Amino acid sequence: MARKPARAHDDSRDHLAPTRLHTPRRARTELEFEEATILGALFGQFDANLVQIENRLGVYISARGNRAQIEGPEDAVARARDVLKGMHQRLLQGQELDAGAIESLISMSAEPTLEGIISGDGETPPIMIRTRKKTIVPRSATQIEYMRALASRDVIFALGPAGTGKTYVAVAQAVSQLITGSVQRLILSRPAVEAGERLGFLPGDMKDKVDPYLRPLYDALYDCMPPEQVERRLASGEIEIAPIAFMRGRTLAESFIILDEAQNTTPAQMKMFLTRFGQNSRMVICGDPNQVDIPGGPQMSGLNDAVGRLEGIDGIAVTRFTSADVVRHPIVGRIVEAYEGKHG
């Protein structure tokens, strides 16, 4: 049965286009989707997903039945086509398709390899991380580089603002390797530093005192594994979550080790942590060099010191995220840009 478009083209956007000496070439293309059962999820309620693409890329999309016709500037039409293909592929693979995922596909549509990223190029498999609860695919161009590094390098530094997926993707990779048996333990750590606050006395035993600082790591774990498996592996010691001070004197072999909020370590702490590295292990150090909460500021940060010393050494990768890679609500990226502009 034919499906009529849910709205007319909004010409109110046309007057916002900048005046150009040469009018861009216009184009029209049509996509046909065979799997009718996923069209509702693909187009969105009242075509909301198509409207999101229209607003971001300046095209007009008409949906009828299992076909979508795209009109607009030639380059924008090509990008919109790739975004719709990427959305379709995600749904076929059983992955979530929300506004954030669509925004990420739109951002990546400027990359010439978008279709290969989503579906593979015939010779190499798609870039993805499979966990018990979900499959994670790259949501920004930098995440592609990051996920490749996580699969191949021994030590990875992930630098950049909140919301870019530094810790979340690292935890997903760690869970994937734990459940496949390529590592025997998952160790998550971070410095217990108050972010510009004074929390005062915290009641309870040591676990009660440090857990508030480690909550983001727990959240990522529970998002990738069923709760009962997380609890069982925590009890058995297969998963360990502890402040960085607990790492002293240990050698961590057969482990996937993640240090979060690494900008709040001192150079001595960072050296201690890095030298815990053992056989058949992988280590990921995540942090935002612009959010240092320790006394002395960025010049006293062990993260900045370590990257300066170690970048370029064989086996060590450094991935730098920017506000363009923020994969939370689009306004988060704009907030990050505003703060970076003010202080940068």
Side-chain angles (χ1 to χ4, degrees), residues 19-23:
T19 302
R20 302 190 181 190
L21 294 177
H22 303 286
T23 302

Side-chain angles (χ1 to χ4, degrees), residues 69-129:
Q69 187 177 87
I70 311 167
E71 300 179 51
E74 191 174 39
D75 59 341
V77 167
R79 290 182 63 185
R81 178 198 61 215
D82 287 349
V83 170
L84 276 170
K85 286 183 177 180
M87 291 163 58
H88 184 252
Q89 189 67 31
R90 285 183 67 98
L91 290 171
L92 288 179
Q93 294 172 350
Q95 298 164 16
E96 296 178 2
L97 185 63
D98 54 20
I102 296 170
E103 185 69 28
S104 300
L105 288 171
I106 292 170
S107 297
M108 285 194 293
S109 66
E111 299 292 316
T113 56
L114 174 63
E115 189 169 351
I117 291 165
I118 300 300
S119 60
D121 58 12
E123 297 180 0
T124 59
I127 301 168
M128 61 177 60
I129 300 171

